Amino acid sequence: MIYQGKQKIWADYQKEIPDNHWFYVRSCIRQNFFPGAEKMFLEICREVLKKDFYETEYHTTCGGIAYHCDTIPQETVMTIVARQFSLMTEAGYENYVASCITSFGNYIEILETWREFPEVETRIREMLWKACRREFNKPKYVAHASDLIYKYRNEIASRAKFRLVNRFTGEPLRVVEHIGCHYSKMFPSKGVGGAEYPYVLCGMIESWGGNVIDYPERRHCCGYGFRQYHVKANRGYSVSNTYKKFESMAPYHPDFILTNCPGCPYFMDRWQYVIAETEGKTYGENGYGIPVLTYEELASLVLGYNPWDIGLQLHQVAVEPLLDKLGVEYDPSEKYKGLNEKELSRPELPGVLRCC
Amino acid sequence: MKENIVIIGGGIAGLEVAVQLLDLGYKPIVIEKRDRLGGHVADWNLLFPDMIPARDVVGNLIARASEANIFLNTEISFVNKLKDSYNIMLSNGISINTRIIVMTTGFALFDAAKKEEYGYGVYDQVMTNKDLEHWFNTGDDKRVNDSAMNAVGFVHCVGSRDEKARNPQCSKVCCITAIKQAIELKQRFPEAMVYCFYMDLRMFGKKYEDFYINAQRDYGIRFIRGRVSEVSENIDGRVIVKAEDTLSGKPVKVTLDLLVLMAGIICNTDSTRLANMVSLPIDSDGFLKSRDNVAEIIESPRDGIFYAGACTGPKTVPETLAEARAAALKVHLFIKGLK
């Protein structure tokens, strides 16, 4: 691997990311998967970095999953998105940041479509007006939330309580980064680092002290792939994709996987249980799996937040071995305590995949 | 004969023009920006289809053109159009007035690093056709490991016939060059598996089809019709290539010790720069535009400016030499006032 070759490509794909004043839109599914991630994004941006991030309860789905499953036409998706932009306009913002990768890809695709075909934009404006008497300005900048954490990565590093270093060996942690397919594969220039060697997560890992692993199936889909998972008969494809990735990364012995997409951390986390049950295989050390984190969760850990406050107990794969390597202190008895110290029920432990 | 004739470019086209003009009794001036003559062909090892050493072809031309006024390490600073002539200022401070310029500025190779998915400049075991010729000539390239050359792949049309690379034209010589290089590698590493990933094979030249048949029948080179989708690196440093075999309708994945990218031919940026100085038109493929592309390919729309070789588009060596001879004849007729 020629690191300088990647640096050259990364230099070609840097994008302008405004520092402040963002209209934030959540994902449909992330709050069900790893609810701490979005909460911590706003917590870090607002409370730690003192930035202005606005969100509104009137925001809805962007329609991206239905669009990619071919269940609604693009005009419908465009009108939904036009309404989101009208919310941003109403709130007085020009910078639009999406939590979801598919939403981000959706917004970029729609804006590019309108740029190429202005008559489509005109028609959508008419449809929005007829539907809900709303008007909108197009955002000046559209970013994915991981772009923002990438932008703030050095600021986060300067406040970090933990580095991505194995405290038992003193070596940098080995990190697999996995980028959501809709981040830059459609429009390489819209992603930090481009489509082939995206830098957005690598930049965080490097800034926080870890080593990035490049493995043969790095570019491969996590296995979610809407039509693979949402069509029940296709779910075998979903898990087989995930299996392919894990088989490919296994020889590199990663300490954890970092992701920036709603589906990727969920499927790479949960399918490890399924692979363990069906194949009898586990990929972490001593029978554990490989922890899969969102970038918000990782930023929170680096900044010293309590792992149970950021929702790491919702991962299927045990995160404790990673916390031990990082030196993060945690109380195992607190893991399944809810608000007000209320004891929540403990999940049943799987038969093959070792969990805590 | 006292007539300044300036040949811009000291590759095989420029040298052949000079040789012919010397034979006709002129004393042409050859301007070459590099420190040696011969252009791209001088970097090549053997020439298809008869495996003639490139150095013999180039060496012969250099010897025969030695009586010309040759400026090495010299660039064109600017060209001014005067009433009936051109004033050329060279980077060495010399100024030349001439009625006649022969553009033999040749081509440039597509920068294979722009096809990011192939990993040139990122993965250790990926090289270009030019790099491989350098290894054939010198034996010096750590990417070629004599003791571990079990599988090699060639990717055709890298930056050619590629809208995404903004290079829609065919580079013409890459198909046959890939076959030549595949055979040469197979001769050196008989046990190695050699794969060629191609869109379609354009075997238009004399003996090319025979060469292609030989590659399959005598050397066992495997031709896979399909584009490579991505290249990645294995933990042991070898490269993994994913492609589609469009004939069998199946995806293929192979692990290789070496991947050779057949970088295509694009217009030399020096040609474009010079063209701008004297208002020469550029064709839709980015190369210099001839008066017409059938009967007057070696003539520019401007009086006294002629073309030869790959400055007007990808050419084989014999085509380039034939054009150079024709251009020399045109220059002679121009001087004689016959045209």
Side-chain angles (χ1 to χ4, degrees):
Chain A
M1 191 77 67
I2 306 163
Y3 186 72
Q4 291 80 0
K6 281 190 177 179
Q7 284 180 312
K8 191 168 171 290
I9 292 171
W10 292 336
D12 290 341
Y13 291 102
Q14 288 297 323
K15 68 175 187 181
E16 193 179 349
I17 306 169
D19 185 60
N20 206 349
H21 307 301
W22 288 91
F23 183 83
Y24 179 64
V25 286
R26 293 188 185 234
S27 152
C28 303
I29 54 178
R30 293 189 81 202
Q31 291 166 79
N32 297 319
F33 290 175
F34 300 113
E38 289 182 330
K39 178 187 183 299
M40 291 314 300
F41 177 79
L42 290 174
E43 165 88 12
I44 291 168
C45 293
R46 286 173 174 165
E47 307 306 326
V48 178
L49 304 173
K50 306 296 180 194
K51 308 289 183 186
D52 170 28
F53 279 73
Y54 178 88
E55 65 167 340
T56 168
E57 67 272 31
Y58 297 111
H59 165 249
T60 67
T61 175
C62 73
I65 292 179
Y67 171 55
H68 285 287
C69 289
D70 268 357
T71 54
I72 58 173
Q74 198 186 18
E75 285 77 4
T76 308
V77 182
M78 285 180 174
T79 313
I80 295 171
V81 164
R83 184 181 164 279
Q84 323 281 37
F85 290 162
S86 79
L87 294 173
M88 178 200 74
T89 307
E90 198 173 271
Y93 285 81
E94 293 181 317
N95 305 327
Y96 194 95
V97 55
S99 165
C100 170
I101 283 283
T102 293
S103 292
F104 173 71
N106 205 16
Y107 296 130
I108 296 294
E109 185 180 350
I110 287 170
L111 289 170
E112 287 295 307
T113 305
W114 289 350
R115 191 177 62 79
E116 292 252 359
F117 306 100
E119 69 279 10
V120 176
E121 182 187 336
T122 306
R123 200 166 75 242
I124 297 301
R125 285 182 181 278
E126 286 170 8
M127 287 163 76
L128 181 69
W129 179 255
K130 283 178 186 169
C132 51
R133 293 288 186 268
R134 281 184 168 275
E135 293 178 295
F136 67 95
N137 296 330
K138 286 185 283 187
K140 209 167 173 182
Y141 295 96
V142 175
H144 181 253
S146 61
D147 294 337
L148 270 298
I149 297 294
Y150 165 80
K151 184 177 178 66
Y152 304 142
R153 68 195 187 284
N154 293 331
E155 217 172 326
I156 291 170
S158 70
R159 297 161 189 257
K161 290 199 176 157
F162 301 100
R163 302 273 294 162
L164 302 183
V165 173
N166 186 329
R167 73 182 178 117
F168 302 117
T169 64
E171 294 292 317
L173 292 178
R174 297 176 302 270
V175 189
V176 156
E177 46 89 35
H178 178 82
I179 303 289
C181 290
H182 295 154
Y183 177 65
S184 58
K185 282 179 182 170
M186 296 185 287
F187 297 94
S189 65
K190 302 297 182 187
V192 177
E196 297 296 333
Y197 312 94
Y199 186 59
V200 63
L201 296 180
C202 293
M204 294 179 207
I205 295 162
E206 288 180 351
S207 180
W208 301 338
N211 270 354
V212 178
I213 288 171
D214 193 340
Y215 63 108
E217 297 293 356
R218 173 178 55 81
R219 299 175 178 105
H220 203 79
C221 169
C222 67
Y224 185 10
F226 303 145
R227 279 183 242 193
Q228 292 166 19
Y229 186 76
H230 288 306
V231 179
K232 198 172 177 182
N234 288 347
R235 284 186 184 163
Y237 290 123
S238 177
V239 71
S240 63
N241 275 304
T242 313
Y243 179 71
K244 182 183 273 193
K245 281 189 81 74
F246 277 97
E247 286 294 301
S248 178
M249 73 175 77
Y252 299 82
H253 306 294
D255 293 301
F256 71 98
I257 300 166
L258 185 63
T259 63
N260 71 342
C261 177
C264 306
Y266 189 77
F267 282 83
M268 290 202 285
D269 181 65
R270 300 300 200 266
W271 279 149
Q272 285 191 71
Y273 157 74
V274 174
I275 292 167
E277 291 293 322
T278 54
E279 297 289 314
K281 291 196 76 168
T282 53
Y283 294 96
E285 293 164 18
N286 306 319
Y288 288 101
I290 303 172
V292 191
L293 301 185
T294 69
Y295 57 95
E296 298 105 322
E297 290 169 340
L298 182 64
S300 306
L301 279 180
V302 163
L303 285 167
Y305 282 88
N306 183 327
W308 310 142
D309 288 345
I310 65 175
L312 294 191
Q313 60 274 65
L314 288 172
H315 289 246
Q316 171 70 68
V317 172
V319 294
E320 284 84 343
L322 173 64
L323 300 178
D324 292 340
K325 287 177 192 169
L326 283 167
V328 174
E329 290 183 3
Y330 57 93
D331 182 350
S333 68
E334 299 282 313
K335 185 171 182 179
Y336 294 108
K337 278 189 179 164
L339 291 173
N340 305 322
E341 300 294 305
K342 184 184 172 190
E343 189 69 44
L344 306 174
S345 58
R346 302 180 76 84
E348 189 181 340
L349 291 176
V352 180
L353 182 68
R354 190 173 169 195
C355 292
C356 299
Chain B
M1 280 177 271
K2 287 277 183 187
E3 176 81 46
N4 277 341
I5 305 167
V6 175
I7 301 167
I8 303 177
I12 58 165
L15 289 170
E16 181 66 28
V17 173
V19 166
Q20 298 298 324
L21 289 172
L22 284 166
D23 286 350
L24 288 165
Y26 300 100
K27 184 89 169 168
I29 301 162
V30 179
I31 316 292
E32 170 55 46
K33 71 174 180 180
R34 295 172 71 177
D35 59 358
R36 56 152 187 81
L37 297 167
H40 291 282
V41 179
D43 295 329
W44 243 238
N45 180 35
L46 300 175
L47 300 179
F48 53 79
D50 294 330
M51 298 301 209
I52 297 166
R55 65 173 176 275
D56 290 356
V57 174
V58 173
N60 182 36
L61 284 171
I62 292 172
R64 291 169 61 208
S66 60
E67 292 301 311
N69 290 316
I70 297 172
F71 293 99
L72 296 177
N73 297 309
T74 306
E75 296 203 42
I76 309 290
S77 298
F78 59 82
V79 182
N80 285 332
K81 174 84 176 80
L82 307 176
K83 189 175 175 220
D84 299 316
S85 61
Y86 301 93
N87 172 242
I88 301 176
M89 176 58 76
L90 304 182
S91 58
N92 58 12
I94 293 173
S95 167
I96 304 169
N97 274 312
T98 179
R99 291 197 302 143
I100 302 155
I101 298 173
V102 184
M103 300 280 281
T104 56
T105 43
F107 65 90
L109 276 181
F110 177 80
D111 177 8
K114 287 184 179 172
K115 295 295 291 178
E116 294 162 6
E117 61 269 39
Y118 297 154
Y120 182 67
V122 174
Y123 300 130
D124 290 320
Q125 292 307 106
V126 181
M127 60 162 47
T128 64
N129 40 3
K130 185 179 179 182
D131 298 332
L132 184 59
E133 290 292 334
H134 178 77
W135 178 77
F136 285 143
N137 275 327
T138 64
D140 178 24
D141 194 314
K142 63 181 182 184
R143 287 170 286 198
V144 185
N145 182 349
D146 289 354
S147 60
M149 198 56 74
N150 300 314
V152 180
F154 287 83
V155 182
H156 292 224
C157 299
V158 174
S160 303
R161 303 175 69 194
D162 187 339
E163 293 282 354
K164 194 175 160 191
R166 297 185 177 179
N167 223 31
Q169 85 277 356
C170 171
S171 291
K172 202 172 182 179
V173 296
C174 314
C175 288
I176 187 69
T177 302
I179 291 172
K180 177 198 83 95
Q181 292 185 335
I183 288 175
E184 283 183 272
L185 269 183
K186 195 74 180 164
Q187 286 169 341
R188 295 179 190 224
F189 305 106
E191 301 303 318
M193 292 294 299
V194 178
Y195 304 90
C196 285
F197 299 94
Y198 69 97
M199 282 198 279
D200 59 80
L201 290 164
R202 299 188 163 181
M203 297 291 117
F204 59 89
K206 184 177 171 66
K207 291 192 189 175
Y208 289 9
E209 190 68 21
D210 298 341
F211 213 48
Y212 169 46
I213 302 286
N214 286 352
Q216 294 177 85
R217 188 187 55 206
D218 301 336
Y219 292 98
I221 293 164
R222 297 193 174 190
F223 290 85
I224 298 170
R225 195 185 77 179
R227 301 298 302 250
V228 168
S229 60
E230 69 167 303
V231 177
S232 52
E233 192 172 85
N234 211 350
I235 196 164
D236 60 8
R238 291 184 296 162
V239 284
I240 296 175
V241 173
K242 287 185 187 174
E244 182 187 8
D245 184 340
T246 56
L247 293 179
S248 68
K250 290 179 179 171
V252 292
K253 183 172 157 183
V254 289
T255 303
L256 304 172
D257 299 295
L258 183 70
L259 182 68
V260 184
L261 305 179
M262 302 307 295
I265 287 176
I266 58 171
C267 181
N268 189 343
T269 51
D270 290 336
S271 299
T272 317
R273 191 173 64 87
L274 289 167
N276 288 335
M277 290 180 188
V278 285
S279 303
L280 289 171
I282 304 295
D283 217 336
S284 58
D285 58 4
F287 290 88
L288 298 181
K289 185 170 185 171
S290 302
R291 193 167 284 175
D292 81 55
N293 285 324
V294 177
E296 295 176 311
I297 190 111
I298 58 169
E299 293 183 59
S300 82
R302 289 199 163 269
D303 282 348
I305 300 183
F306 302 93
Y307 302 143
C311 63
T312 55
K315 306 257 164 49
T316 63
V317 171
E319 286 168 345
T320 299
L321 296 176
E323 272 194 8
R325 287 164 198 148
L329 181 59
K330 280 285 180 191
V331 169
H332 177 63
L333 295 174
F334 181 82
I335 293 168
K336 295 292 178 195
L338 295 173
K339 184 184 174 304

